[in-house]
């Protein structure tokens, strides 16, 4: 079923997904009810979750059309995708993974979390009602872990979509080291509050971000970092105390409940966080167990959290907030960046200079300014993190590139040009092409030139621009790309022309990169790279894998070049995965090299969504103008 579905056009798949969005809307009441009964979601949390699922359906429907319109490359859908959603967003995240895979042309097996099986089942039933074939979308309930392991590791599975802990990503890779895994994983998120902030607004946003859905969100605020005089403000600490203690905690059946129960009784590290203080810490608001089940707790706030402490660095996933103190904004940013994760981050400040410093240095995928840090909306704030908050390509759910990860690409060769001009290219790319001219035949030179022109267009229209797709005015929702270091590896079965094409894309991206090549790089090209302080290492495949196994890869992404025109360097990717022990910390791109800048620049860039409140009490604010 997956193969036949993948042969449909993007427009044909889009029509089915739009019907799926209507079916989800028609089942809103059932979905809210089952989430409340099964996972303890309040109506206020469940209703926007259904809206998010609906948004995913319509948004991915339109992105399905985009896959057919990429010039220079042809999209090849994965035949089978397994979606393993979490229990904390059992409808929206489950629907998002399923709908993205369907939009991309893949067959889907969805295995809802054990604690939210009914919620997942009602969502899938709505999609079946919309006309999604049952043999294309299969719902499974696996009786034991052994069956789950066999499903995840089965060689017929082309992609696995995971939302869960980083440790779960490690577990999945232990089943199959070369598993193509797209995962949104853990978060340890902070809101920084500076002396220039509106403290009333900051207190409200911190409490909402920390205790919505009892803190059981990967985007939730686990830390608030108070800068300078804010740390000494008794008024601000009193506001946090009053806001937390006034929350109505109860079961979702009571419509006045603001914070519901935990999904199951607190245990392990969460129970430790709710009951045990670290060195130098004290309770500002001590959490209390409110019933015999062990699942209903009042919110807790601890102060005196020290840099490098257990609470500072550990994700707990529950209703407990830590307060840290920083002497200045730079120190606060260091505290936030010190964690292994980079999912969401917030800043409360009315100082443009502070905003500029924070935007330039904070390491997180979703940034929020003078607002809460949860509740990302499809397209408006595409969602996904940096560092150990993401595994795989790192493209954001609800964003323009998410479907790209649900398949591979092959080159669309196009036609040779009648001219060989290099007009419109950056001088750094022109220098590279001219240095390579003497070692390429006419056809390869023309492909390199046309590819570079495609890169330039992609940079101008997409990757080099900061965009606001929603254009709300009073809230700026910006989407941008940031370069990151990459290792480019030419395998023994790769070609010099493909290596040069990838280096051209890397050059346009402005990312730092290093080159490992199985064949010598021409002296003139090597001289150009040396002038830019780009390292070139010549080593055969065995030496490359030996270096990788010894920890010699210093970047979090690798672009492999080699193999054939249909499968690319997939065999080399499997060998590299084994050498790395299946580590989720290195994302490997192994698709065939294409002429499409829209495809080839992505390995060198990571996405960042920035949401800025652009008003003060309804009056437009110029805080961020001229900064971004």
């Amino acid at each position: 079923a997956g193969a036949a579905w993948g042969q449909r056009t993007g427009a044909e798949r889009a029509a089915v997904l739009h019907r799926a969005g209507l079916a989800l809307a028609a089942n809103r009441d059932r979905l809210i009810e089952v989430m409340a009964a099964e996972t303890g979601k309040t109506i206020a949390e469940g209703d926007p979750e259904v809206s998010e699922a609906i948004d995913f359906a319509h948004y991915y429907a339109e992105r399905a059309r985009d896959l057919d319109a990429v010039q220079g490359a042809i999209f090849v859908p994965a035949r089978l995708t397994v979606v393993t959603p979490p229990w904390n967003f059992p409808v929206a995240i489950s629907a998002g993974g399923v709908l993205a895979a369907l939009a991309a042309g893949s067959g889907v097996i969805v295995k809802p979390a054990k604690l939210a099986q009914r919620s997942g089942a009602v969502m899938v039933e709505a999609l079946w009602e919309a006309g999604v074939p049952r043999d294309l979308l299969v719902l499974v309930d696996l009786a034991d872990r052994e069956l789950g392991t066999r499903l995840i590791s089965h060689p017929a599975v082309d992609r696995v979509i995971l939302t869960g802990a980083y440790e779960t990503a490690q577990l999945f890779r232990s089943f199959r080291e070369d598993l193509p895994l797209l995962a949104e994983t853990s978060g340890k998120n902070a809101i920084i509050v500076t002396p220039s902030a509106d403290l009333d607004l900051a207190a409200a946003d911190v409490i909402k971000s920390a205790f919505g859905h009892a803190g059981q969100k990967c985007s939730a605020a686990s830390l608030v970092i108070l800068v300078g005089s804010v740390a000494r403000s008794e008024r601000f600490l009193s506001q946090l105390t009053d806001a937390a203690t006034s929350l109505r905690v109860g079961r979702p059946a009571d419509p006045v409940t603001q914070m519901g129960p935990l999904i199951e009784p607190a245990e392990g590290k969460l129970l430790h966080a709710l009951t045990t203080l670290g060195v130098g810490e004290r309770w500002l608001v001590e959490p209390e167990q409110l019933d015999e089940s062990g699942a209903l707790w009042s919110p807790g706030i601890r102060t005196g959290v020290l840099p490098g402490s257990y609470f500072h660095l550990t994700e707990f996933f529950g209703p407990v907030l830590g307060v840290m103190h920083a002497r200045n904004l730079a120190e606060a940013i260091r505290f936030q960046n010190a964690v292994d994760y980079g999912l969401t981050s917030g800043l409360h400040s009315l100082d443009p200079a502070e905003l500029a410093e924070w935007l330039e240095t904070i390491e997180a995928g979703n940034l929020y300014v003078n607002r809460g840090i949860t509740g990302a909306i499809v397209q408006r704030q595409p969602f996904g993190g940096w560092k150990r908050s993401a595994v795989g390509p790192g493209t954001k759910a609800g964003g323009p590139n998410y479907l790209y990860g649900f398949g591979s690409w092959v080159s669309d060769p196009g036609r040779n040009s009648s001219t060989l001009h290099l007009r419109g290219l950056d001088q750094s790319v022109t220098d590279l092409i001219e240095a390579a001219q003497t070692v390429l035949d006419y056809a390869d030179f023309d492909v390199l030139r046309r590819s570079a022109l495609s890169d330039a267009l992609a940079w101008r229209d997409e990757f080099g621009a900061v965009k606001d797709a929603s254009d709300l005015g009073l809230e700026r929702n910006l989407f941008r790309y940031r370069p990151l270091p990459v290792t480019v590896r030419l395998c023994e079965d790769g070609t010099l022309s493909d290596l040069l094409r990838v280096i051209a894309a890397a050059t346009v991206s402005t990312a730092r990169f290093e080159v490992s090549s199985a064949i010598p790089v021409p002296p003139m090209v090597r001289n150009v790279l040396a002038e830019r302080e780009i390292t070139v290492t010549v080593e055969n495949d065995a030496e490359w894998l030996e270096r990788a196994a010894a920890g010699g890869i210093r970047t979090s992404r690798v672009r492999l070049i080699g193999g054939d025109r249909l499968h690319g360097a997939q065999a080399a990717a499997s060998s590299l995965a084994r050498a790395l022990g299946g580590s989720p910390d290195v994302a490997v791109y192994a698709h065939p090299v294409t002429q499409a800048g829209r495809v080839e620049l992505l390995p060198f860039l990571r996405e960042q969504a920035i949401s800025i409140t652009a008003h003060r009490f309804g009056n437009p604010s110029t805080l961020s103008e001229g900064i971004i």
Side-chain angles (χ1 to χ4, degrees):
W5 177 253
Q7 291 174 359
R8 294 194 185 190
T9 66
E12 290 171 334
R13 298 194 299 270
V16 177
L17 262 71
H18 280 308
R19 291 199 300 271
L22 297 176
L24 289 167
N27 283 276
R28 182 184 292 271
D29 54 345
R30 294 179 64 211
L31 292 165
I32 293 173
E33 187 279 330
V34 72
M35 284 190 288
E38 188 175 39
T39 70
K41 280 229 166 183
T42 63
I43 295 173
E45 292 282 348
D47 184 54
E49 179 167 346
V50 178
S51 295
E52 183 178 7
I54 296 166
D55 289 345
F56 275 134
H58 296 303
Y59 181 75
Y60 289 146
E62 294 308 306
R63 301 292 74 74
R65 301 175 191 270
D66 295 344
L67 292 176
D68 292 343
V70 175
Q71 293 187 345
I74 300 170
F75 184 70
V76 181
R79 287 200 171 195
L80 178 60
T81 298
V82 171
V83 178
T84 59
W87 51 260
N88 62 329
F89 285 90
V91 170
I93 292 180
S94 180
V98 167
L99 292 164
L102 292 173
S106 176
V108 182
I109 295 174
V110 57
K111 188 193 80 63
K114 282 290 184 184
L115 297 171
Q117 286 180 312
R118 286 188 293 144
S119 300
V122 173
M123 183 278 295
V124 170
E125 286 174 358
L127 301 190
W128 287 338
E129 290 173 10
V132 177
R134 287 175 177 260
D135 61 347
L136 178 66
L137 170 59
V138 177
L139 174 70
V140 298
D141 173 15
L142 303 180
D144 56 50
R145 284 183 174 270
E146 174 60 25
L147 289 175
T149 301
R150 290 170 61 186
L151 173 63
I152 296 299
S153 60
H154 197 283
V157 173
D158 296 316
R159 294 289 185 279
V160 172
I161 311 304
L162 165 69
T163 303
Y166 174 80
E167 291 78 11
T168 306
Q170 289 179 307
L171 178 66
F172 281 14
R173 280 284 176 81
S174 74
F175 300 158
R176 176 180 161 192
E177 290 175 326
D178 64 348
L179 180 70
L181 182 62
L182 284 71
E184 186 265 290
T185 47
S186 303
K188 182 69 176 182
N189 315 300
I191 296 176
I192 296 172
V193 183
T194 77
S196 71
D198 179 333
L199 297 184
D200 296 339
L201 178 64
D205 285 340
V206 167
I207 295 301
K208 291 175 185 175
S209 300
F211 301 121
H213 195 29
Q216 299 171 117
K217 300 180 181 181
C218 54
S219 58
S222 182
L223 297 167
V224 57
I225 305 174
L226 308 183
V227 177
S229 61
V230 184
R232 301 185 296 274
S233 172
E234 293 185 7
R235 174 175 172 268
F236 184 70
L237 293 178
S238 295
Q239 286 178 302
L240 290 180
T241 300
D242 292 346
T245 55
S246 65
L247 287 174
R248 297 186 182 94
V249 182
R251 299 288 173 178
D254 184 349
V256 302
T257 293
Q258 294 172 294
M259 190 179 100
L262 301 173
I263 186 71
E264 57 185 349
E267 60 182 12
K269 63 181 182 180
L270 176 56
L271 182 60
H272 181 275
L274 289 167
T275 58
T276 307
L277 292 170
V279 175
E281 298 173 358
R282 67 176 181 86
W283 289 116
L284 184 65
V285 177
E286 186 169 3
E288 297 180 14
Q289 183 177 327
L290 300 180
D291 69 355
E292 294 181 356
S293 74
L296 199 63
W297 287 77
S298 64
I301 304 177
R302 61 176 70 204
T303 62
V305 175
L306 298 175
S309 65
Y310 180 63
F311 195 91
H312 174 207
L313 302 177
T314 306
E315 180 188 39
F316 295 106
F317 222 66
V320 58
L321 173 71
V323 181
M324 300 184 73
H325 298 167
R327 290 170 296 179
N328 50 49
L329 178 59
E331 185 174 70
I333 292 170
R334 286 199 300 274
F335 292 167
Q336 169 69 95
N337 289 344
V339 302
D340 288 336
Y341 314 109
L343 190 51
T344 65
S345 183
L347 174 70
H348 266 273
S349 170
L350 297 176
D351 184 335
E354 290 180 340
L355 174 59
E357 179 182 357
W358 183 76
L359 287 174
E360 183 61 30
T361 55
I362 202 71
E363 297 172 358
N366 280 68
L367 308 184
Y368 299 91
V369 180
N370 295 329
R371 52 153 294 173
I373 66 171
T374 64
I377 295 175
V378 174
Q379 185 183 35
R380 194 179 298 179
Q381 299 119 14
F383 191 73
W386 291 4
K387 302 193 291 187
R388 284 189 167 180
S389 290
V391 175
T395 50
K396 289 175 171 289
N401 306 304
Y402 190 59
L403 298 192
Y404 283 37
F406 288 78
S408 185
W409 296 88
V410 296
S411 186
D412 182 2
R415 294 180 298 177
N416 289 338
S417 304
S418 57
T419 64
L420 295 178
H421 73 81
L422 300 178
R423 293 188 301 274
L425 300 182
D426 186 86
Q427 188 61 48
S428 61
V429 179
T430 299
D431 291 344
L432 174 70
I433 294 175
E434 290 177 343
Q437 188 169 4
T438 59
V439 297
L440 297 175
D441 61 24
Y442 176 87
D444 286 341
F445 179 82
D446 186 46
V447 167
L448 177 59
R449 185 191 64 84
R450 285 188 285 129
S451 298
L453 290 171
S454 177
D455 294 344
L457 290 174
W459 183 260
R460 183 195 69 187
D461 296 339
E462 178 66 27
F463 300 119
V466 178
K467 295 185 176 182
D468 186 345
S470 52
D471 196 22
L472 298 178
L474 295 183
E475 181 181 79
R476 300 184 70 198
N477 291 293
L478 309 175
F479 188 76
R480 68 177 179 178
Y481 299 86
R482 308 288 275 173
L484 80 168
V486 177
T487 298
V488 176
R489 166 63 185 173
L490 177 66
C491 304
E492 291 175 4
D493 55 1
T495 65
L496 177 62
S497 59
D498 280 348
L499 173 63
L500 294 169
R501 189 274 167 273
V502 171
I503 291 176
T507 301
V508 171
S509 75
T510 73
R512 297 297 304 169
F513 64 97
E514 55 189 61
V515 176
S516 167
S517 177
I519 62 176
V521 175
M524 292 183 66
V525 174
R526 194 158 186 161
N527 289 340
V528 169
L529 298 178
E531 290 173 359
R532 300 170 189 173
E533 299 181 346
I534 295 169
T535 302
V536 177
T537 303
V538 178
E539 54 192 340
N540 61 33
D541 286 352
E543 292 167 336
W544 154 255
L545 292 174
E546 183 179 357
R547 178 159 71 93
I553 295 179
R554 297 174 293 179
T555 62
S556 61
R557 292 188 181 182
V558 174
R559 177 62 168 110
L560 292 178
I561 305 165
D564 60 38
R565 294 296 177 183
L566 181 60
H567 301 99
Q570 291 301 327
S574 294
S575 297
L576 179 58
R578 290 190 291 271
L580 295 172
S583 171
D585 294 332
V586 179
V588 179
Y589 297 75
H591 62 265
V593 174
T594 75
Q595 297 180 34
R598 193 65 181 76
V599 173
E600 294 302 335
L601 266 70
L602 276 173
F604 301 93
L605 301 165
R606 56 184 173 183
E607 304 170 353
Q608 193 173 58
I610 307 166
S611 184
I612 303 173
T613 298
H615 71 91
R616 292 279 292 153
F617 308 107
N619 299 307
S621 167
T622 60
L623 171 67
S624 61
E625 290 184 8
I627 296 173
I628 186 170

